[in-house]
Amino acid sequence: MAVVVGVDGAGRTHRLRALAPPGAVWVTPDHPEVPDSAPALVVDDPHRLDQPTLRRLSEVARRGTPVLLARRPTLDPPALGELDELAASDGVVPLGPLDAATITALTGRADLLVASGGWPAIAALAATGALLPRVQRRLAAEPPPVGDVARVAALGLDLGDDVLAAATGHDADAVAAAMRTLRDLGFLAPGAERIVPAVAEALLADLAPAERRRLHGRVAGALADSGADPVTAAVQLRAAGIRAGGDVFRAAGDRLRFTDPAAAIGWYDDAVDAGIDPGSIVAGRAEAAALVGLPVDPGVAGDPATAQRLALVAGAAAAHDGRPARAADALTAGDPPGPLLAVPALVALGRQAAAREILASAPGPRRLLGEGVPKGDGQREILASATGPLRLLGEGVLAAGQEPATAVPLLIEAAEAADRMPPAVVLPDTAHAWGAVVAVTAGDAATAEHLLRGALDAGSGGPVGVQRHRLLLAWVRLRTGRYDSAVAELRRLGAGLAGREALLAAALRAGLARRSGDIAELRAAWVSVEPVLARQSVDLFQAEQVEELAVAATRLRRPQRIAPVLAALDAAVAGLGEPPAWRVTVEWIRLQVAVAADDPTAVKAAAAAIAAARPGRERQRAQAAAAAAWARSMAGAVEVAEVVAAVERLAGAELPWEASRLAGHAAIRTGDPSAARRLLEVARELSGVAAPAAETNTAGLSEREIEVARLVLDGRTHKEIGAQLFISPKTVEHHVARIRTKVGATDRAEFVAALKSLLDS
């Protein structure tokens, strides 16, 4: 005969009736008598028969009586094994779940397939509302671990065996046995260790509110104690509607506060809702809030470690809000690594001596591990290991306070070191942002873009950092004459910028309006410019941004906003010991303001101040030469060769707009028509067009750049191209550099291939 194998409710008895031969004798728990002889024996529910009856059945089967047996998947009790082997002479008939059509035909409802797991008895009982009594009766007949495990499993969580054991209060062996029983009862989904949805609903509905709370508390506590990934555990608890997992939710927030701060805030809120002491999450929540640009709630520091973290957040938030002095003071007054974090702001404010002292006395990682640093998630070790990158950043910015060009390699190293370390604190600004600002000031836009692209790819600094890096990328493109892509980056930003980014965005909008010659747009931009300038809270590394705002103020006849800001920059330069690079930068602002005001006397004074600074680097020397040419041109003494040479040096120093303005101003002041035409041509070549950020099939190349590109493809030299287009070889070189940047080519082969693709299409 055969063995029919299936869980309770799979239709074992129904299948036995279909397979039983005529005259067969049925042996069941209600009729356990075993005759000495019969045409055949049909045995149902053998797990409920006693050992003597099972042995008697085996004896009769050995004498040749055919046996048809239906049993659960678990082969228990032991005496059943011999009988099962004797009955299986014709094979095993497995009973699986029914398909959708059969369940629908059985119950009249198509929606019960998933709810029942395909088990016919559960589907039929669920359809009539009689499932709960069946579940109650079955569990009441089983040992206590079965019901305990069933109720925990009904929550639908993916729990490991150790967590399930801890949540039920039974050992691993008891839990494994209970899961086997639940499978045999037909309470598990086919091929899974998951309670059938309809049974799970019935189990949970049977719990009183107090019982449900205790169940949730046991599960949450077991997860918290298990060492499982807190984010995964928190997601499970939230999905199951368990609000008792305060420790798990807090741990999830702690894990994500630097990498996904918006999600971390949600977990911290869930932790408080679950009854966690709000003071235990105040520091983590403040860190996450600062990284998404939300107002930071200082909360109540219940211990020194929390107070330290809150102080660091307050300093970083002040920096984000565009208040560098407040940030520097807050961080300097705090415990390590606060003073190290303050170093860049101190340098930017001209407080060089304080910055040097901090770097000289800052504790190393070993000392920091012995101090009151917050614990949890290895926070002490992470924070200690972060001192290296923070020191590198401080040293790089300190060097930039003397000469930006020499500091660029140090800041690249600081950014790379920061990338290798997990975030430990909310930074006032990232090493990538500092490096980009300094690189632009040094005339190295390629490095600035490289740093900012890396920061954006890594999401450095959280959402606030991403916003800043995108704004700085737009700034790099504005300063280097790629106005269309600067507009595109600016449009990708949302509203509600913090104070520091509000200043940068205002400078961008003013700069774009200035370059497009759109006075109406400049007036519109002034709505955001004026309140930013009114704060007078700027530092030296924002000097080029201040230049755009100062020129806008001059063009719109708002000079009262300029003097206090320039005074603050003068004080910072003096505090750094009057380094030539920064003195030239500040005096260059005065020069541009004087040009915008059409004030030859002020232009002459600014040019003299730039020359007196004795600039040593090519960028500053180019600015000095341009300032001198501007002063003479505005006095009516235009020397075309001098102006063209100065223009080319400015363009080479990545100041194309200023170069174009110098050429244009000189053109309208010369009395020589041919010289004026030449200078205007140079001005047009360098000015570009501040067009909307619409992409074209020529990568945003201007008409002149397309002309140059075609001649490059023809194999012409810079000198030959210049002669054909009536421009100098230096101007051709500038065009080629801009074209290479726009098409993203890194070598000549890529450059030529890109040009062929663009111009042959």
Side-chain angles (χ1 to χ4, degrees):
M1 295 293 284
V3 175
V4 177
V5 180
V7 302
D8 292 0
R12 290 195 309 262
T13 302
H14 178 76
R15 183 58 62 90
L16 282 180
R17 291 194 183 102
L19 296 176
V25 175
W26 284 68
V27 180
T28 67
D30 294 332
H31 299 90
E33 298 81 12
V34 181
D36 288 335
S37 63
L41 294 175
V42 178
V43 183
D44 198 9
D45 286 345
H47 61 280
R48 296 170 56 198
L49 298 173
D50 58 25
Q51 298 282 352
T53 300
L54 290 172
R55 285 194 289 270
R56 172 73 174 153
L57 284 167
S58 295
E59 180 183 332
V60 172
R62 282 196 300 271
R63 292 202 300 264
T65 301
V67 176
L68 177 63
L69 177 71
R71 65 169 175 85
R72 288 172 162 182
T74 300
L75 197 59
D76 190 54
L80 180 57
E82 182 181 3
L83 177 62
D84 186 81
E85 185 174 357
L86 292 168
S89 59
D90 289 335
V92 175
V93 180
L95 298 180
L98 302 181
D99 59 22
T102 308
I103 289 290
T104 302
L106 176 66
T107 65
R109 289 174 54 181
D111 62 319
L112 285 176
L113 176 65
V114 174
S116 67
W119 299 131
I122 292 177
L125 290 166
T128 61
L131 181 59
L132 178 57
R134 162 75 173 266
V135 171
Q136 291 171 325
R137 287 193 298 271
R138 290 301 178 91
L139 291 181
E142 300 293 342
V146 177
D148 294 339
V149 171
R151 281 180 280 274
V152 173
L155 295 171
L157 304 175
D158 183 16
L159 303 178
D161 293 343
D162 55 338
V163 179
L164 189 55
T168 59
H170 302 292
D171 62 32
D173 291 340
V175 168
M179 291 299 291
R180 285 194 299 272
T181 299
L182 290 171
R183 179 193 61 180
D184 289 341
L185 287 170
F187 288 179
L188 295 185
E193 292 190 348
R194 175 175 49 84
I195 298 290
V196 170
V199 175
E201 183 179 352
L203 285 166
L204 297 177
D206 193 37
L207 293 173
E211 291 177 307
R212 186 186 292 263
R213 286 193 295 272
R214 285 195 295 271
L215 175 65
H216 287 180
R218 289 197 304 271
V219 172
L223 273 171
D225 295 339
S226 69
D229 176 68
V231 178
T232 301
V235 169
Q236 290 197 71
L237 292 179
R238 180 185 278 174
I242 296 176
R243 309 304 301 167
D247 289 334
V248 176
F249 296 144
R250 177 176 57 195
D254 288 343
R255 174 68 63 84
L256 295 176
R257 67 190 190 278
F258 291 120
T259 55
D260 190 353
I265 290 172
W267 291 124
Y268 286 132
D269 290 344
D270 284 353
V272 173
D273 290 345
I276 281 289
D277 174 16
S280 68
I281 59 98
V282 65
R285 198 183 193 288
E287 288 165 340
L291 288 173
V292 297
L294 293 175
V296 175
D297 180 3
V300 178
D303 58 81
T306 299
Q308 179 192 358
R309 290 172 67 185
L310 289 172
L312 296 179
V313 173
H320 299 168
D321 194 38
R323 302 185 186 278
R326 184 179 299 177
D329 291 342
L331 293 168
T332 302
D335 294 329
L340 265 182
L341 288 165
V343 167
L346 291 171
V347 174
L349 293 166
R351 291 154 64 177
Q352 179 175 249
R356 288 189 185 280
E357 183 179 350
I358 288 170
L359 286 171
S361 60
R366 190 167 298 176
R367 266 186 61 194
L368 193 56
L369 280 171
E371 299 178 3
V373 182
K375 299 181 181 180
D377 283 343
Q379 180 72 8
R380 289 164 61 87
E381 291 76 12
I382 293 172
L383 196 52
S385 63
T387 59
L390 291 179
R391 182 185 290 275
L392 281 172
L393 174 59
E395 291 171 347
V397 177
L398 185 62
Q402 296 303 306
E403 175 48 65
T406 61
V408 171
L410 294 174
L411 291 168
I412 293 173
E413 184 182 358
E416 292 171 346
D419 286 340
R420 292 191 294 268
M421 303 302 302
V425 294
V426 180
L427 296 171
D429 206 356
T430 66
H432 304 78
W434 280 109
V437 169
V438 172
V440 170
T441 305
D444 187 356
T447 293
E449 288 215 29
H450 170 74
L451 287 168
L452 294 170
R453 283 292 181 196
L456 286 169
D457 289 344
S460 302
V464 164
V466 169
Q467 189 179 62
R468 176 152 178 77
H469 297 140
R470 196 166 295 289
L471 270 169
L472 285 172
L473 188 59
W475 176 252
V476 173
R477 290 171 175 176
L478 171 77
R479 295 297 286 176
T480 52
R482 286 169 287 161
Y483 310 131
D484 51 353
S485 56
V487 172
E489 292 295 342
L490 192 57
R491 286 176 176 169
R492 295 176 67 177
L493 294 164
L497 296 174
R500 179 181 61 192
E501 271 52 82
L503 185 145
L504 179 50
L508 275 165
R509 293 188 180 99
L512 288 166
R514 173 189 173 196
R515 285 156 176 75
S516 67
D518 189 340
I519 296 299
E521 184 62 29
L522 191 63
R523 288 195 183 96
W526 184 255
V527 174
S528 59
V529 173
E530 189 166 26
V532 171
L533 279 178
R535 294 175 66 173
Q536 300 176 21
S537 185
V538 298
D539 64 52
L540 195 56
F541 289 84
Q542 295 170 312
E544 292 196 350
Q545 299 165 36
V546 169
E547 176 191 327
E548 297 295 346
L549 302 180
V551 172
T554 302
R555 294 286 301 276
L556 297 173
R557 296 180 174 83
R558 305 288 201 282
Q560 69 275 12
R561 295 299 190 199
I562 303 172
V565 176
L566 288 178
L569 297 181
D570 284 334
V573 175
L576 295 177
E578 294 290 336
W582 290 108
R583 175 46 63 196
V584 169
T585 297
V586 175
E587 296 303 332
W588 184 259
I589 299 174
R590 289 192 168 95
L591 178 81
Q592 294 302 310
V593 167
V595 169
D598 198 19
D599 184 345
T601 301
V603 169
K604 182 178 179 181
I610 290 173
R614 303 177 65 84
R617 292 279 173 170
E618 174 54 29
R619 181 182 173 92
Q620 287 80 47
R621 288 200 297 267
Q623 288 173 299
W630 232 313
R632 280 190 282 274
S633 294
M634 291 194 75
V638 177
E639 293 290 340
V640 175
E642 176 196 30
V643 171
V644 170
V647 164
E648 290 177 345
R649 291 182 73 178
L650 276 183
E654 297 188 343
L655 292 170
W657 171 252
E658 289 80 353
S660 73
R661 301 321 297 147
L662 171 56
H665 277 92
I668 63 177
R669 285 169 171 78
T670 181
D672 183 345
S674 64
R677 285 194 297 271
R678 182 182 176 191
L679 290 171
L680 286 173
E681 174 68 16
V682 171
R684 282 193 294 270
E685 292 300 325
L686 292 169
S687 63
V689 180
E695 294 297 328
T696 70
N697 60 356
T698 55
L701 302 184
S702 68
E703 290 185 10
R704 175 63 89 188
E705 286 167 344
I706 292 173
E707 286 183 296
V708 171
R710 292 194 186 283
L711 293 171
V712 168
L713 279 180
D714 289 342
R716 305 289 183 87
T717 66
H718 290 179
K719 185 176 181 179
E720 290 169 340
I721 295 171
Q724 181 166 338
L725 299 179
F726 304 103
I727 56 178
S728 73
K730 272 285 188 183
T731 303
V732 174
E733 183 180 341
H734 171 71
H735 280 309
V736 170
R738 288 184 63 186
I739 296 167
R740 188 187 296 273
T741 300
K742 287 184 178 182
V743 301
T746 58
D747 56 36
R748 179 165 178 78
E750 285 186 8
F751 185 45
V752 171
L755 292 183
K756 286 181 178 178
S757 175
L758 287 170
L759 301 179
D760 293 344
S761 59

